[in-house]
Amino acid sequence: MRIKFVILSFISIISIFVGILAGSVHASIHDLYDYLKGKQDVRGYIIWEVRVPRTLGAFLGGACLAVSGLLLQTYFRNPLAGPYVLGISSAASLAVALCILAGMGIHNVGIVGSAFLGSMLATVLILCLATKVRNAVTLLVAGLMLGYLFSAFEKILITLAESQKVHQFILWTFGSFSGITWDNLELITILGIPAMMLVFTLSKPLNALLLGEEYARSMGVNVKAVRMVIVTLSSFLTSLVTAFAGIVAFVGLATPHMARLLFRTSDHRILIPTTILLGAIVTVLCDIISRILLYPVELPVSVVTSMFGAPIVIYLVIKRRRV
Amino acid sequence: MMLEVSKLSAGYSNAVLAGIDLNVERGEILGIIGPNGSGKSTLLKTISAILKPMNGVVYLDGKNVHKLKPSELAKELAITTTNRSDVGFLTGFEVVSLGRYPYTDAFGRLSERDVEIVMEALRLVNAEYLADKPFSEMSDGEKQKIMIARALAQQPKVLLLDEPTSFLDAKHRVEIPLILRRIANEKGIAIVLTTHDIELAVRICDRIVMVKDGRVVAEGYAEDLDSEIVKELYGIGVAEFDPFLGTFELKGEGRAKIHVVCGGGSGARVMRLLTKNRIPFTAGVIHENDIDFYIAKHCAVGVVKERPYEEIRDETLEDAFRLVENCDLVVDTGFPIGKINARNLEVLRTAKRVYSLRSKKELEKIDLDAEVIRMADLLKICKY
């Protein structure tokens, strides 16, 4: 088990290096080194100002999404749950749609801000519901319905908007790590890493929740409190990534399954770190593929994550792998 | 008193249960029986504080369970529900060790003592061999054992079990009740279980509470169970519960064309076979303390009985003759012949046609003119 962890960590470091070096501009470690030494170098500049934050952003963002998916899959005891089942993505896109389509501004800060605000509002709404509902299934249905509701409003906006703005909006919903700057990365790090640390403290109640809420309650889990923490953390992590990178599909759904299969365990003390590492690796790799697959055209990252994620989910459903 | 339920009303939006009073002592097994949908599961979930009561109190060792913190209650009371969870890759050992939840540290790490307790729980339910088996690959019976062991790992004083023997194979249907008795006796744990299986409840429970339409309709020692109450509870017309046998017996109906002469248990299989195939029959003479009498009471449409341990009197014999006269054929079940039932041979001799389950040699010895048949032929002959 320890060896697998070491290998995973090693792969994750390699993936970062590949992510930094791969792309439309040929670059080497030397260029980066020269640039950091203060030498004027365009290639070095591209690497340091574009590729490094982008790759690290994909790394952290993938980790956040994956662990958020794990939380919700366990809590809902549903292998098809992902970070977006509670309507976070729909809320974020509605807010972004408002921002872009209603012409409230098309600059980066506006989009990031509105996406984050929208998803946090949805989180608050879900939390209010979470205190009321009796069990997980009810909450899941409520979350899905909220998603439809937000989408409906979003579609009204799309119907009424100019086509050029619609194109811009649609591109945002495909998700991409390309726009991430050092400032963005700083925020993701400061907010995302502590949130992920908090997820570790949930390993014990998450294991108990494998038996369902009723059993968890009977074994001493404060189910309502744990439910609130799970919803808050998973929504927060998802909102954070969605704000900066748009909707990145499938990473949060597929990587927890990969983690379970890799260690053949459902013990969250192992699953949480594994899911974090795998989510990071997978997202960085997908980001690299999105850059080089149709070079020089850059694909949205969701295209790649879906292409790799969907077959995995189909495989899992057919093999009936367990949560 | 270990567990005391007082005037409990519970349910979801409407009250499913009203005014329930119960109590259970240390080491005692209390069975809650009633038809499906009578509120048994709701009752257990409310006692275990999974559901909040609408009214009334549940005391455990004098403490109100609904006022205890979940983590405190989990050390006193454990439950198994009918919920068959999909727990992914967890093994038997890992599922049982989840029961240590209220005792372990923030990351759920097991101490040596915890491991000992988990292994002891597995031993108590005969499931040490399941420790490394993935829970998802176990049979229903094995899963049930593991879930009971998990509950035991909480080291509770009270154990609540919802339908512990439903959906089990024959082996586990016998084994699990024995395990529960062992838990009650060895550990002094008070057990409350629900079941719709009265036959089982009578075998393993000390006391029984019958619930119907959300109310307790009867309670008492398992041995005092009355067949009238059972009839009222389940409303079954075609079968009757016999408290002495502890089983349901089908009720015979119709005009009898067959008379069965039996005794000493020799008639049990014959009578059940006929009743099962809806062939009405009469029976006698049978002594009132004979096991055949308990079965004939339900299965036969008419029984001629004699007082226990007394020789068959003339009046009784007359009654039997009258039944035989009205029949087309008589079955001799091959009962042992002794001093008090010797006159049953006279009953056989008055019959026109007798089919006997005895051997030819035996028939010669008792000088009875009858056709020898085997159990397998009986149905063919009686259906004619």
Side-chain angles (χ1 to χ4, degrees), chain B residues 15 22 95-96 126 149 173 175 204 260 330 334 341:
Chain B
L22 295 176
V95 172
V96 177
N126 307 332
R173 256 176 78 87
E175 191 184 4
I204 65 165
V260 177
V330 170
N341 73 341

PDB file of all heavy atoms in Angstrom, chain B residues 15 22 95-96 126 149 173 175 204 260 330 334 341:
ATOM      1  N   ALA B  15     -49.158   9.308  13.469  1.00  0.00           N
ATOM      2  CA  ALA B  15     -48.719   8.322  14.451  1.00  0.00           C
ATOM      3  C   ALA B  15     -49.015   6.920  13.928  1.00  0.00           C
ATOM      4  O   ALA B  15     -50.137   6.608  13.542  1.00  0.00           O
ATOM      5  CB  ALA B  15     -49.424   8.555  15.772  1.00  0.00           C
ATOM      6  N   LEU B  22     -43.701  -1.156  27.240  1.00  0.00           N
ATOM      7  CA  LEU B  22     -42.909  -2.389  27.170  1.00  0.00           C
ATOM      8  C   LEU B  22     -41.868  -2.350  28.257  1.00  0.00           C
ATOM      9  O   LEU B  22     -41.489  -1.272  28.717  1.00  0.00           O
ATOM     10  CB  LEU B  22     -42.107  -2.463  25.864  1.00  0.00           C
ATOM     11  CG  LEU B  22     -42.760  -2.565  24.511  1.00  0.00           C
ATOM     12  CD1 LEU B  22     -41.658  -2.521  23.463  1.00  0.00           C
ATOM     13  CD2 LEU B  22     -43.502  -3.875  24.415  1.00  0.00           C
ATOM     14  N   VAL B  95     -16.389  -4.248   8.812  1.00  0.00           N
ATOM     15  CA  VAL B  95     -17.761  -3.862   9.141  1.00  0.00           C
ATOM     16  C   VAL B  95     -17.985  -3.981  10.652  1.00  0.00           C
ATOM     17  O   VAL B  95     -18.537  -3.073  11.282  1.00  0.00           O
ATOM     18  CB  VAL B  95     -18.790  -4.717   8.370  1.00  0.00           C
ATOM     19  CG1 VAL B  95     -20.196  -4.436   8.860  1.00  0.00           C
ATOM     20  CG2 VAL B  95     -18.701  -4.442   6.876  1.00  0.00           C
ATOM     21  N   VAL B  96     -17.522  -5.090  11.228  1.00  0.00           N
ATOM     22  CA  VAL B  96     -17.713  -5.273  12.671  1.00  0.00           C
ATOM     23  C   VAL B  96     -16.965  -4.176  13.437  1.00  0.00           C
ATOM     24  O   VAL B  96     -17.464  -3.642  14.425  1.00  0.00           O
ATOM     25  CB  VAL B  96     -17.250  -6.670  13.117  1.00  0.00           C
ATOM     26  CG1 VAL B  96     -17.373  -6.819  14.627  1.00  0.00           C
ATOM     27  CG2 VAL B  96     -18.085  -7.748  12.426  1.00  0.00           C
ATOM     28  N   ASN B 126     -20.382 -17.005  15.695  1.00  0.00           N
ATOM     29  CA  ASN B 126     -19.780 -18.073  14.861  1.00  0.00           C
ATOM     30  C   ASN B 126     -19.329 -17.543  13.510  1.00  0.00           C
ATOM     31  O   ASN B 126     -19.617 -18.161  12.481  1.00  0.00           O
ATOM     32  CB  ASN B 126     -20.773 -19.213  14.594  1.00  0.00           C
ATOM     33  CG  ASN B 126     -21.372 -19.766  15.859  1.00  0.00           C
ATOM     34  OD1 ASN B 126     -20.745 -19.711  16.914  1.00  0.00           O
ATOM     35  ND2 ASN B 126     -22.571 -20.297  15.766  1.00  0.00           N
ATOM     36  N   ALA B 149     -22.754  -9.034  14.920  1.00  0.00           N
ATOM     37  CA  ALA B 149     -21.442  -8.879  15.560  1.00  0.00           C
ATOM     38  C   ALA B 149     -21.065  -7.400  15.657  1.00  0.00           C
ATOM     39  O   ALA B 149     -20.516  -6.946  16.666  1.00  0.00           O
ATOM     40  CB  ALA B 149     -20.383  -9.643  14.766  1.00  0.00           C
ATOM     41  N   ARG B 173     -31.501 -19.799   9.643  1.00  0.00           N
ATOM     42  CA  ARG B 173     -32.765 -19.638  10.362  1.00  0.00           C
ATOM     43  C   ARG B 173     -32.730 -20.372  11.686  1.00  0.00           C
ATOM     44  O   ARG B 173     -33.412 -20.020  12.632  1.00  0.00           O
ATOM     45  CB  ARG B 173     -33.924 -20.174   9.514  1.00  0.00           C
ATOM     46  CG  ARG B 173     -34.758 -19.106   8.872  1.00  0.00           C
ATOM     47  CD  ARG B 173     -35.807 -19.739   7.997  1.00  0.00           C
ATOM     48  NE  ARG B 173     -36.915 -20.263   8.781  1.00  0.00           N
ATOM     49  CZ  ARG B 173     -37.966 -19.534   9.147  1.00  0.00           C
ATOM     50  NH1 ARG B 173     -38.032 -18.273   8.803  1.00  0.00           N
ATOM     51  NH2 ARG B 173     -38.939 -20.062   9.840  1.00  0.00           N
ATOM     52  N   GLU B 175     -29.581 -21.245  13.101  1.00  0.00           N
ATOM     53  CA  GLU B 175     -28.374 -20.829  13.815  1.00  0.00           C
ATOM     54  C   GLU B 175     -28.534 -19.470  14.508  1.00  0.00           C
ATOM     55  O   GLU B 175     -28.114 -19.300  15.658  1.00  0.00           O
ATOM     56  CB  GLU B 175     -27.204 -20.774  12.832  1.00  0.00           C
ATOM     57  CG  GLU B 175     -25.864 -20.621  13.537  1.00  0.00           C
ATOM     58  CD  GLU B 175     -24.717 -20.460  12.556  1.00  0.00           C
ATOM     59  OE1 GLU B 175     -24.962 -20.391  11.344  1.00  0.00           O
ATOM     60  OE2 GLU B 175     -23.573 -20.390  13.037  1.00  0.00           O
ATOM     61  N   ILE B 204     -37.703 -18.827  20.551  1.00  0.00           N
ATOM     62  CA  ILE B 204     -36.532 -18.174  21.133  1.00  0.00           C
ATOM     63  C   ILE B 204     -36.832 -17.079  22.147  1.00  0.00           C
ATOM     64  O   ILE B 204     -35.960 -16.706  22.913  1.00  0.00           O
ATOM     65  CB  ILE B 204     -35.566 -17.612  20.063  1.00  0.00           C
ATOM     66  CG1 ILE B 204     -36.232 -16.494  19.283  1.00  0.00           C
ATOM     67  CG2 ILE B 204     -35.043 -18.684  19.173  1.00  0.00           C
ATOM     68  CD1 ILE B 204     -35.208 -15.696  18.492  1.00  0.00           C
ATOM     69  N   VAL B 260     -59.278 -41.867  10.025  1.00  0.00           N
ATOM     70  CA  VAL B 260     -57.905 -42.232  10.349  1.00  0.00           C
ATOM     71  C   VAL B 260     -57.839 -42.745  11.782  1.00  0.00           C
ATOM     72  O   VAL B 260     -58.312 -42.078  12.705  1.00  0.00           O
ATOM     73  CB  VAL B 260     -56.956 -41.018  10.193  1.00  0.00           C
ATOM     74  CG1 VAL B 260     -55.545 -41.385  10.597  1.00  0.00           C
ATOM     75  CG2 VAL B 260     -56.993 -40.487   8.769  1.00  0.00           C
ATOM     76  N   VAL B 330     -60.956 -46.587   5.691  1.00  0.00           N
ATOM     77  CA  VAL B 330     -60.300 -46.284   6.963  1.00  0.00           C
ATOM     78  C   VAL B 330     -58.803 -46.482   6.793  1.00  0.00           C
ATOM     79  O   VAL B 330     -58.367 -47.427   6.124  1.00  0.00           O
ATOM     80  CB  VAL B 330     -60.847 -47.196   8.082  1.00  0.00           C
ATOM     81  CG1 VAL B 330     -60.019 -47.070   9.347  1.00  0.00           C
ATOM     82  CG2 VAL B 330     -62.305 -46.865   8.353  1.00  0.00           C
ATOM     83  N   GLY B 334     -50.586 -47.450  11.601  1.00  0.00           N
ATOM     84  CA  GLY B 334     -49.551 -48.314  12.161  1.00  0.00           C
ATOM     85  C   GLY B 334     -49.145 -47.893  13.555  1.00  0.00           C
ATOM     86  O   GLY B 334     -47.986 -47.980  13.943  1.00  0.00           O
ATOM     87  N   ASN B 341     -55.014 -48.378  24.402  1.00  0.00           N
ATOM     88  CA  ASN B 341     -55.625 -48.105  23.090  1.00  0.00           C
ATOM     89  C   ASN B 341     -55.904 -49.384  22.309  1.00  0.00           C
ATOM     90  O   ASN B 341     -56.161 -49.340  21.114  1.00  0.00           O
ATOM     91  CB  ASN B 341     -54.749 -47.143  22.281  1.00  0.00           C
ATOM     92  CG  ASN B 341     -53.484 -47.812  21.773  1.00  0.00           C
ATOM     93  OD1 ASN B 341     -53.072 -48.856  22.296  1.00  0.00           O
ATOM     94  ND2 ASN B 341     -52.874 -47.219  20.753  1.00  0.00           N
TER      95      ASN B 341
END
